[in-house]
Amino acid sequence: MKLLRYGAPGKEKPGGLDADGNLRDLSSHVPDIAGDVLLPDSLSHLKALDFAALPRVEGNVRLGPCVGGTGKFICIGLNYSDHAAETGATVPPEPIIFMKATSAIVGPNDTIEIPRDALKTDWEVELGVVIGKTAKYVSERDAMDHVAGYCVINDVSERAFQAEREGQWTKGKSADTFGPTGPWLVSADEIPDPQALRLWLEVNGHRYQNGSTATMVYGVRYLVAYLSRFMSLQPGDIISTGTPPGVGLGQKPPVYLKPGDVVTLGIEGLGNQRQDVVQG
């Protein structure tokens, strides 16, 4: 099941894709793809619907973030050993956790705005994990019971703010538009193994990232259990699980985004994104 949100920013409506890839409206069944709608019983109710019988949404509509009302946007740093190597870092003995401001979340095809005074705006294709049931002190064995589904995330990063302006990484990760999310929330039952997904990213048609979630150091099951030791995870929370090699920082010489660039990215089974880069 592929769930989504469509419409103008801040006024998105719930929707989904039918078997033929047509966008269908879910407004008569749920108020949004958010909160309690992500609980297992609610998702089971939606899965039982005949999507082909729902109102079809015609025309070229904007896709919003595939999940609304996200309370926590949790990111994992250096979670691919080959990405750690390209940045000159070592694989951490425990997951590196940092937060991305929820105000960074935008739709999958919205523009990326380079912040004022930015020098090194970078890209990162990542697997997003959406929590569907509250997780607190859960075991690895039970961790996947708390996952509603998966999505594509571009963890856009301003490296100068992140690494050269003191403090933690958050200031380099949280600018407006730095969290394109979607196009869809794909329910967990459609992705039997989240550690076997191909993911890629291109800038202006040149492929920089071409990896697999199989090379993640800490997998989804471990991360959900691990994070739940330090904070409760609530329905709609997003875990962005790290990026494979090929980021701009890792190029020789480094390559960073500039106004006029076009970023395209995707994950096997989870859809694609496209963003125009503009000056903020």
Side-chain angles (χ1 to χ4, degrees):
M1 180 171 59
K2 294 179 175 66
L3 302 175
L4 54 85
R5 301 168 71 246
Y6 69 95
K11 298 180 180 179
E12 291 92 350
K13 297 180 180 179
L17 295 186
D18 65 21
D20 295 321
N22 299 309
L23 201 164
R24 302 286 178 166
D25 181 70
L26 284 168
S27 298
S28 61
H29 293 274
V30 293
D32 199 356
I33 307 301
D36 288 349
V37 171
L38 300 170
L39 291 169
D41 287 348
S42 179
L43 292 181
S44 295
H45 167 72
L46 291 178
K47 189 174 179 62
L49 296 175
D50 179 6
F51 274 44
L54 297 171
R56 182 170 174 173
V57 179
E58 304 288 353
N60 185 21
V61 298
R62 170 188 175 268
L63 295 181
C66 59
V67 178
T70 296
K72 293 190 287 296
F73 197 168
I74 308 164
C75 299
I76 308 300
L78 302 175
N79 197 28
Y80 288 71
S81 56
D82 35 12
H83 168 58
E86 75 171 346
T87 61
T90 57
V91 175
E94 291 190 44
I96 292 176
I97 301 170
F98 62 94
M99 294 292 197
K100 199 175 183 83
T102 55
S103 54
I105 298 173
V106 291
N109 304 316
D110 290 344
T111 56
I112 293 173
E113 296 181 3
I114 296 178
R116 296 177 186 178
D117 302 320
L119 301 172
K120 301 176 180 179
T121 303
D122 206 345
W123 57 82
E124 295 187 15
V125 59
E126 305 202 1
L127 172 66
V129 179
V130 178
I131 298 299
K133 183 174 70 172
T134 297
K136 185 174 183 179
Y137 299 120
V138 301
S139 66
E140 285 189 58
R141 180 187 62 194
D142 298 329
M144 303 306 278
D145 295 339
H146 298 264
V147 175
Y150 306 95
C151 63
V152 182
I153 291 174
N154 188 357
D155 176 20
V156 185
S157 309
E158 169 47 43
R159 302 299 188 189
F161 294 177
Q162 177 185 358
E164 301 169 19
R165 297 286 296 272
E166 303 302 330
Q168 299 178 339
W169 290 359
T170 303
K171 69 177 72 172
K173 296 284 190 170
S174 295
D176 291 353
T177 77
F178 270 27
T181 301
W184 320 303
L185 168 62
V186 180
S187 55
D189 60 295
E190 289 198 6
I191 307 296
D193 185 1
Q195 306 308 146
L197 302 176
R198 185 179 66 85
L199 62 172
W200 58 273
L201 183 145
E202 297 178 352
V203 179
N204 302 328
H206 178 81
R207 182 157 297 196
Y208 284 96
Q209 292 188 274
N210 194 24
S212 169
T213 57
T215 65
M216 286 169 59
V217 178
Y218 301 106
V220 172
R221 183 182 298 275
Y222 182 90
L223 288 173
V224 172
Y226 181 85
L227 290 169
S228 77
R229 302 178 200 171
F230 302 99
M231 66 193 84
S232 62
L233 304 175
Q234 308 293 335
D237 286 352
I238 298 172
I239 305 169
S240 198
T241 57
T243 197
V247 300
L249 174 64
Q251 306 305 308
K252 301 190 183 306
V255 176
Y256 297 113
L257 294 174
K258 61 186 184 302
D261 285 346
V262 177
V263 182
T264 53
L265 59 148
I267 300 179
E268 179 182 3
L270 302 183
N272 301 333
Q273 300 184 355
R274 180 192 185 281
Q275 295 112 28
D276 293 318
V277 180
V278 300
Q279 182 62 52

